[in-house]
Amino acid sequence: MRVAVAAYPLETIASFEAWADKQRRLLDEAKALSADLAVLPEYLPLELAGAQPAAVREDFAASLDALQPLFEPWQTLHLELARALDLHIQAGTFLLRQPNGRYRNRAFWFTPAGEVHWQDKLQLTGFEKASGLIEPGDALRVFELDALRVGIAVCYDSEFPLPVRAQREAGARLLLVPSCTDTPAGATRVRTGCMARALENRMFVARAVTAGELPWSPALDTNTGEAAIYAPMDVGLPADGVLAVNAPGTTWAVAELPLSRLERAASKSQVAVDSDWPQQLRAPLQGASVSRLR
């Protein structure tokens, strides 16, 4: 399995057609790098708000409302590209309006066979809560691609170990993390979460990011971080946990997942956090006593 993750270069684009051409070009690049699966970042379709008047694109609620009529052509575009390129596309997230009027930050997966799958973001950031527009998801999924099971943790979700652990126990050995962070601290938190999930679950973690600036956007104004693919830090795998990272000024980080080494590492591991996980759940460890020092 060869995976490509994007450091997606944001720009102001004048029309959906121009935006679609950009997606074709970038995903053509991923396919030319022999990718089987391409991962794009969180919030990516908000780049389309660049075609709206300033009063719309500079207002988060108005930009989400304006985005909804584009969902069908957005979905059709990615289905066509998945088929044409014979490429699985995890197309970042689309903020999709629900019947109650609120939005879900939904990560979509398009397959070459014409299937559409999705995972909602489960944990909301401070920005998302403060907007009053977004609601969290309420279901956790794992997707099977050939013999490999894959989970998705949208950005902030990668910082929460228990849902990812549930995906791992359902067989996931690869976690996709479409992300968008606007500060170095935020980028570090997501990177640290990704590496921790790789360590404790003995899995690969593939993180896509938004890159550059869109000063007019409340959500995509400033963007930091690097696209990377992480592995557990163990025998036969990178000591620093990094399989691939995008070079400065480039879009894609690409790696062939060494799945056989993942299994060998399990039998010859230096540490076994994944199999030792239940030990921390022993009853005596579920509460801490306080000892007063004098």
Side-chain angles (χ1 to χ4, degrees), residues 28-246:
D28 276 344
E29 290 177 7
K31 185 63 179 180
L33 292 166
S34 301
D36 302 300
L37 167 63
V39 186
L40 295 167
E42 181 186 31
Y43 279 170
L44 173 56
L46 284 171
E47 187 181 37
L48 285 162
Q52 298 294 330
V56 174
R57 69 187 192 182
E58 294 172 6
D59 181 276
F60 191 46
S63 62
L64 291 183
D65 182 64
L67 188 61
Q68 300 313 297
L70 297 176
F71 174 67
E72 289 302 327
W74 177 87
Q75 181 171 253
T76 298
L77 170 68
H78 287 93
L79 281 169
E80 290 174 351
L81 288 171
R83 290 191 193 100
L85 295 172
D86 191 25
L87 178 68
H88 287 266
I89 302 171
Q90 199 291 289
T93 68
F94 194 106
L95 285 149
L96 190 62
R97 186 159 49 215
Q98 303 302 298
N100 64 5
R102 301 182 79 191
Y103 298 86
R104 292 210 176 180
N105 194 0
R106 183 162 291 178
F108 282 90
W109 184 322
F110 300 97
T111 80
E115 298 173 341
V116 181
H117 301 275
W118 51 267
Q119 169 68 60
D120 285 336
K121 189 173 187 176
L122 304 174
Q123 299 285 346
L124 302 187
T125 64
F127 169 78
E128 289 167 332
K129 290 176 185 176
S131 75
L133 300 168
I134 302 171
E135 66 179 22
D138 53 12
L140 190 61
R141 294 176 166 86
V142 166
F143 310 97
E144 193 163 70
L145 175 56
D146 298 327
L148 179 65
R149 291 188 179 180
V150 187
I152 300 174
V154 179
C155 198
Y156 191 34
D157 287 348
S158 68
E159 299 176 37
F160 291 84
L162 296 184
V164 176
R165 181 65 188 187
Q167 291 170 310
R168 198 270 183 198
E169 291 179 352
R173 294 299 180 269
L174 169 63
L175 184 71
L176 308 183
V177 181
S179 73
C180 173
T181 52
D182 62 354
T183 66
T188 299
R189 287 192 295 269
V190 175
R191 182 177 71 246
T192 301
C194 288
M195 297 187 81
R197 304 296 81 79
L199 167 65
E200 68 200 14
N201 295 300
R202 199 179 301 279
M203 60 166 45
F204 300 110
V205 180
R207 175 193 179 196
V209 301
T210 46
E213 297 183 352
L214 286 182
W216 47 261
S217 173
L220 298 175
D221 49 347
T222 304
N223 301 271
T224 62
E226 56 192 15
I229 301 171
Y230 304 107
M233 311 79 177
D234 210 338
V235 175
L237 295 163
D240 63 358
V242 180
L243 279 175
V245 64
N246 73 293

Side-chain angles (χ1 to χ4, degrees), residues 8 15 22 33 50 73 105 144 152 230 232 288-289 292 294:
Y8 182 91
S15 68
K22 179 179 180 180
L33 292 166
N105 194 0
E144 193 163 70
I152 300 174
Y230 304 107
S289 60
R292 187 178 299 277
R294 297 180 182 178

